[in-house]
């Protein structure tokens, strides 16, 4: 599972007398993350969704009506990417743009009933899949993993 680029990094750390076990831990976590993101994309791709489309639909499904600016800041998508996502959602009758009542240049986006029904299927499938990723861990191991990843996160600089 370890990505070859991390193997090289671990070897280099070992050669330099650095903590190669820490490098291996980071490499394993990054490799696992890459696999999860890749497979997640493949899974939502079966529904003709990208990760961006999925996340926008998730936010609209849970939060209701949002502006494109709010969606962009929550997802990290650029304005042009957000426009593309909104065009896709409207074209497939999953969402609509709602013109602002006071300013015709402003609008919000909301899901329509067909979009909610469609997204419930996608979401159920994703939640089932994500939940089974840790099936090989018992309850104590899951709690320990959560504790350790949070503890590692404390070592990152918060800019």
């Amino acid at each position: 599972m370890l990505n070859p680029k991390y193997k090289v990094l671990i070897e280099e750390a070992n050669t330099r007398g650095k903590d190669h076990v820490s490098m291996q831990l980071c490499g394993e976590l990054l490799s696992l993350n890459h696999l999860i993101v890749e497979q997640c994309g493949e899974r939502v791709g079966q529904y003709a969704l990208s990760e961006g489309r999925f996340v926008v639909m998730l936010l609209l499904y849970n939060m209701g009506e949002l502006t494109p600016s709010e969606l962009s800041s929550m997802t990290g998508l650029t304005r042009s990417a957000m426009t593309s996502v909104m065009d896709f959602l409207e074209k497939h009758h999953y969402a609509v743009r709602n013109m602002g009542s006071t300013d015709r240049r402003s609008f919000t986006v909301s899901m329509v009933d067909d979009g909610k029904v469609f997204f419930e299927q996608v979401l159920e499938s994703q939640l089932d899949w994500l939940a089974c990723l840790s099936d090989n861990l018992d309850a104590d191991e899951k709690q320990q993993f959560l504790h350790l990843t949070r503890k590692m996160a404390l070592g990152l600089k918060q800019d």
Side-chain angles (χ1 to χ4, degrees), residues 48-134:
L49 296 178
S50 62
E51 180 185 357
R53 291 171 182 169
F54 176 83
V55 174
V56 168
M57 290 186 83
L58 177 66
L59 292 170
L60 292 172
Y61 183 81
N62 280 282
M63 301 176 83
E65 203 169 49
L66 295 167
T67 66
S69 176
E70 291 169 328
L71 287 166
S72 289
S73 68
M74 287 187 245
T75 61
L77 293 174
T78 63
R79 285 181 159 212
S80 62
M82 187 57 62
T83 299
S84 175
V85 168
M86 288 185 296
D87 289 345
F88 172 87
L89 296 178
E90 259 191 337
K91 178 182 174 187
H92 289 83
H93 308 288
Y94 298 146
V96 293
R97 290 177 172 109
N98 309 299
M99 299 308 277
S101 57
T102 57
D103 183 355
R104 292 188 306 177
R105 294 171 296 167
S106 69
F107 62 92
T108 58
V109 182
S110 60
M111 289 184 83
V112 297
D113 289 340
D114 286 348
K116 291 175 184 176
V117 169
F118 167 75
F119 188 70
E120 284 173 7
Q121 284 181 291
V122 178
L123 183 59
E124 188 68 25
S125 172
Q126 281 299 95
L127 291 174
D128 288 345
W129 176 71
L130 288 168
C132 81
L133 292 178
S134 61

Side-chain angles (χ1 to χ4, degrees), residues 22-54:
S22 290
M23 297 299 150
Q24 183 169 2
L25 176 59
C26 287
E28 293 285 350
L29 281 172
L30 291 169
S31 296
L32 177 61
N33 177 68
H34 177 76
L35 285 172
I36 292 171
V37 168
E38 188 177 78
Q39 289 184 18
C40 195
E42 290 171 6
R43 293 183 61 79
V44 297
Q46 295 172 0
Y47 298 94
L49 296 178
S50 62
E51 180 185 357
R53 291 171 182 169
F54 176 83

Side-chain angles (χ1 to χ4, degrees), residues 139-154:
D140 289 338
E141 289 170 327
K142 290 176 185 179
Q143 287 303 312
Q144 185 178 19
F145 185 73
L146 280 172
H147 171 74
L148 294 173
T149 54
R150 289 174 181 157
K151 194 170 182 178
M152 281 183 71
L154 292 174

